[in-house]
Amino acid sequence: MTSSKKPGKHQHHEVFSASRAGHLDTRLRRFIYRPDRLAEKYVNPGDRVLDFGCCPGFFTREFAKRVGENGHVFSVDLQEEMLDILQKKLGPEGLLPRITTHRCAPDSLGLPADLNGTFDTVFAVFVVHEVPDPERLFREISLVLKPGGTFFYSDPPFIVSGGEFRDNLARAEKVGLRLAERRFYFVNRAAVLMKV
Ligand SMILES: C[S@@+](CC[C@H](N)C(=O)[O-])C[C@H]1O[C@@H](n2cnc3c(N)ncnc32)[C@H](O)[C@@H]1O
């Protein structure tokens, strides 16, 4: 995708409260979004995956199952409470040895430099609209991905307009994430990008 148009101003939305975390890990949501199928499509056994804005671990669970014993998932969130809930939920499922939780700052992933270029896939599902500076986030995502690595990005249409979503794809392209596929994830706008 190439566009000479300057992206519009990013609409920064309120952070999803940890007090509502229970709404995000339900059977209905599993039935609608099939996170197991998402993992099957974009994650391979042995992969290193970053789940940005992991919340209570709705997607992390399936990524951790999919990567198997030889892979690893880094689950990153701004809110410590979300990471605590994730650990309480996924501990009894035996998945924690494959998961590292990391609390980030609102404007930076804050991962150590030795993790640069080490991830096969990064997911940012229903979170970019809550981030103050998406271009900065995409730059950091680009940095941690291996060349040829995949970035799966999705945002809801009732929060992020088609124009805003395209602006974010332009921001991502600027920092070395090339659009490979535009798709829908249930009713949500989604894109698969590749680290060049
Ligand atoms: C709407 S929730 C949904 C996320 C999850 N991917 C899901 O669909 O189940 C958004 C999550 O992103 C986190 N978040 C918001 N802003 C963030 C930021 N700047 N950095 C990291 N996480 C952030 C929130 O704490 C919340 O857990």
Side-chain angles (χ1 to χ4, degrees):
M1 190 196 74
T2 50
S3 165
S4 53
K5 205 169 147 263
K6 205 165 169 270
K9 193 174 174 325
H10 169 62
Q11 305 290 319
H12 177 202
H13 294 265
E14 202 176 313
V15 171
F16 191 89
S17 165
S19 63
R20 292 160 60 212
H23 298 286
L24 294 177
D25 193 20
T26 63
R27 283 173 68 176
L28 176 65
R29 200 164 181 248
R30 261 197 290 286
F31 176 73
I32 292 173
Y33 287 115
R34 295 304 305 258
D36 53 338
R37 288 190 187 154
L38 189 75
E40 215 172 288
K41 193 165 165 70
Y42 296 109
V43 177
N44 292 309
D47 275 0
R48 287 168 60 80
V49 173
L50 195 154
D51 183 8
F52 177 75
C54 59
C55 240
F58 177 75
F59 291 101
T60 291
R61 173 188 290 112
E62 298 304 329
F63 301 153
K65 285 186 193 166
R66 177 75 175 155
V67 297
E69 283 179 3
N70 297 323
H72 206 79
V73 182
F74 278 72
S75 301
V76 175
D77 206 284
L78 181 64
Q79 301 181 77
E80 193 70 56
E81 298 96 304
M82 292 297 196
L83 301 175
D84 289 346
I85 299 169
L86 182 151
Q87 289 188 352
K88 282 195 189 103
K89 273 178 176 280
L90 303 190
E93 297 179 37
L95 293 171
L96 289 188
R98 303 173 191 181
I99 298 169
T100 298
T101 55
H102 170 75
R103 185 183 186 185
C104 66
D107 59 352
S108 176
L109 275 181
L111 289 172
D114 62 355
L115 292 182
N116 288 349
T118 66
F119 287 90
D120 298 282
T121 311
V122 176
F123 291 86
V125 183
F126 314 146
V127 55
V128 173
H129 61 277
E130 295 181 15
V131 167
D133 184 349
E135 186 174 320
R136 179 173 175 161
L137 170 68
F138 296 150
R139 183 172 290 112
E140 291 188 320
I141 287 175
S142 182
L143 204 62
V144 298
L145 274 170
K146 294 177 183 172
T150 300
F151 173 40
F152 182 92
Y153 161 44
S154 184
D155 255 333
F158 53 91
I159 299 180
V160 175
S161 69
E164 285 177 72
F165 193 80
R166 276 194 302 278
D167 284 351
N168 277 340
L169 297 183
R171 290 181 175 107
E173 185 176 87
K174 243 173 100 178
V175 297
L177 297 166
R178 182 182 297 151
L179 182 64
E181 182 193 354
R182 270 295 294 264
R183 53 167 288 182
F184 282 94
Y185 182 42
F186 187 51
V187 297
N188 305 283
R189 301 180 209 290
V192 182
L193 301 104
M194 201 186 79
K195 161 80 180 279
V196 288

